[in-house]
Amino acid sequence: MLYQKGNMFSKACEYGIKSMIYIQSNHDDSRKICLNEIAEAINSPMAFTAKILQQLKRSGLLVSTIGAKGGFQIKNNKPITIKEIVLAIDGDGFFSKCVLGLKVCSSANPCPAHEAYKLIKENMIKDLLDLELDEFTKNIKNKTIALK
Amino acid sequence: MLYQKGNMFSKACEYGIKSMIYIQSNHDDSRKICLNEIAEAINSPMAFTAKILQQLKRSGLLVSTIGAKGGFQIKNNKPITIKEIVLAIDGDGFFSKCVLGLKVCSSANPCPAHEAYKLIKENMIKDLLDLELDEFTKNIKNKTIALK
DNA sequence: TATAATTCGGACATTTTTATCCTAATTAAT
DNA sequence: ATTAATTAGGATAAAAATGTCCGAATTATA
């Protein structure tokens, strides 16, 4: 093939999702979770991960405290869906863009794959994007699920 | 967001799929369909599209003839699924890669989204990837479906 | 046989995505 | 007060994807 592709999400988004899952699964009111620990846990480049955490913060999903013993926490300890993370990092392209890249593509003016993609989106939303983080954290502590 | 993302397929793959749909929907034993016409029809950069057509040829989906009145045709005029095109251009990443980017991720050793992604893949395969090109060409000639 | 239309492939350029480096600011704890 | 741990963000670099340019080879047809 020309290039190797075929990822639903960008690397940035993968790191974002894994970061959020890690933060959620290690939640503890008595401490914050720092960048270093997150990047180690999810096996991601630290400086790059820092940018992503900033973005998640700007989007209102995380809060952070600076300085020693500082780190990140989920804002208000609120339930968060995968969709919110994807929107924060990759934007709404997944939901809004034509799967074949047409500038305008709607049910009134569809590309050949429009209806098929509609079904696919519905299933993705139901099976993954609308799920909340704690759906994914259940089995992390007992090591049946891996983040790296 | 950091960057704008959220595409199921690469641009190259989008052009590949649209090229194949165009070629199929304009099939006529008496002529070949040339690059120029394809790129015009699907609104894609010509030189880039040329590379993609070469790749589709190398993968055995197209045949071409050089020279005046040359062009491309679907090999053996055989039914082709979207999956074959995706495999030719984007490779099998969509099918083989972990949705969260883990190096190893299997049902024995799953990432947190493994099961969810399995469902999603099954639906994508059923609703789009296993469909044959002529599913997408039906309404092109009467202009209810657009390629650009 | 000359010309125009075409594929083919190499080299290069641009843009986007991913990743790194560095310095400043803040805070806890000693 | 100093130090170490930490977030924050700007600048830059590297890699990947997308896109362009050009010249060579081939073939139909005038």
Side-chain angles (χ1 to χ4, degrees):
Chain A
M1 75 229 69
L2 256 48
Y3 313 103
Q4 180 65 36
K5 257 281 260 171
N7 343 21
M8 195 78 59
F9 306 125
S10 68
K11 269 288 165 206
C13 194
E14 288 175 9
Y15 297 150
I17 294 169
K18 288 195 281 185
S19 294
M20 293 297 286
I21 290 176
Y22 181 79
I23 293 170
Q24 161 98 355
S25 71
N26 286 81
H27 169 73
D28 176 346
D29 276 326
S30 70
R31 70 177 193 115
K32 288 113 189 176
I33 305 191
C34 75
L35 168 62
N36 196 294
E37 178 182 345
I38 294 167
E40 215 289 314
I42 71 172
N43 194 31
S44 65
M46 199 165 92
F48 190 46
T49 306
K51 312 283 187 202
I52 294 158
L53 294 174
Q54 289 309 311
Q55 182 57 36
L56 291 169
K57 191 184 153 179
R58 270 179 251 127
S59 300
L61 303 187
L62 290 177
V63 289
S64 66
T65 47
I66 260 178
K69 302 275 170 186
F72 297 86
Q73 289 171 305
I74 289 175
K75 186 168 182 179
N76 301 330
N77 205 17
K78 212 190 75 197
I80 291 180
T81 64
I82 300 294
K83 188 203 267 175
E84 292 175 89
I85 305 169
V86 173
L87 286 172
I89 307 295
D90 281 349
D92 74 345
F94 171 75
F95 305 93
S96 64
K97 282 199 205 158
C98 167
V99 69
L100 295 184
L102 301 200
K103 284 276 168 36
V104 330
C105 176
S106 61
S107 50
N109 202 350
C111 84
H114 188 77
E115 292 303 317
Y117 188 55
K118 201 163 103 186
L119 295 177
I120 288 165
K121 272 196 287 198
E122 284 165 7
N123 279 304
M124 265 207 76
I125 289 168
K126 171 169 70 66
D127 291 335
L128 177 61
L129 296 166
D130 271 353
L131 301 186
E132 289 175 358
L133 277 181
D134 63 354
E135 281 288 326
F136 300 97
T137 59
K138 292 176 191 161
N139 304 300
I140 290 207
K141 285 182 181 159
N142 61 20
K143 303 287 189 190
T144 61
I145 294 280
L147 278 174
K148 68 173 171 186
Chain B
M1 76 232 66
L2 255 48
Y3 312 106
Q4 180 66 36
K5 258 283 263 175
N7 341 32
M8 195 78 59
F9 306 126
S10 68
K11 269 288 166 208
C13 195
E14 288 175 10
Y15 297 150
I17 294 169
K18 288 195 282 186
S19 293
M20 292 297 286
I21 290 175
Y22 181 79
I23 294 168
Q24 162 97 356
S25 71
N26 287 80
H27 169 73
D28 177 344
D29 276 325
S30 71
R31 71 177 192 116
K32 287 115 191 176
I33 304 190
C34 75
L35 169 62
N36 197 294
E37 177 182 345
I38 295 168
E40 216 289 314
I42 70 172
N43 194 32
S44 65
M46 198 166 92
F48 191 46
T49 306
K51 312 282 186 201
I52 294 156
L53 294 175
Q54 289 308 310
Q55 182 58 36
L56 291 169
K57 191 184 153 181
R58 270 179 251 126
S59 301
L61 304 186
L62 290 177
V63 290
S64 66
T65 48
I66 260 177
K69 302 273 171 190
F72 297 85
Q73 288 171 307
I74 290 175
K75 186 168 181 179
N76 300 329
N77 205 16
K78 211 191 76 194
I80 291 181
T81 64
I82 301 294
K83 188 202 268 177
E84 291 175 271
I85 305 169
V86 173
L87 286 172
I89 308 295
D90 281 350
D92 72 346
F94 171 75
F95 305 93
S96 65
K97 280 201 207 157
C98 168
V99 69
L100 295 184
L102 300 200
K103 285 276 168 40
V104 330
C105 177
S106 60
S107 49
N109 202 351
C111 84
H114 189 77
E115 291 304 317
Y117 189 54
K118 202 163 101 185
L119 295 177
I120 288 165
K121 271 196 288 197
E122 284 166 8
N123 278 305
M124 267 206 76
I125 289 168
K126 171 168 71 64
D127 292 335
L128 177 61
L129 296 167
D130 271 353
L131 301 186
E132 288 174 359
L133 277 180
D134 63 354
E135 280 288 326
F136 301 97
T137 59
K138 292 175 190 161
N139 304 300
I140 290 205
K141 284 182 180 158
N142 61 22
K143 302 285 190 192
T144 60
I145 293 278
L147 278 175
K148 68 173 171 188

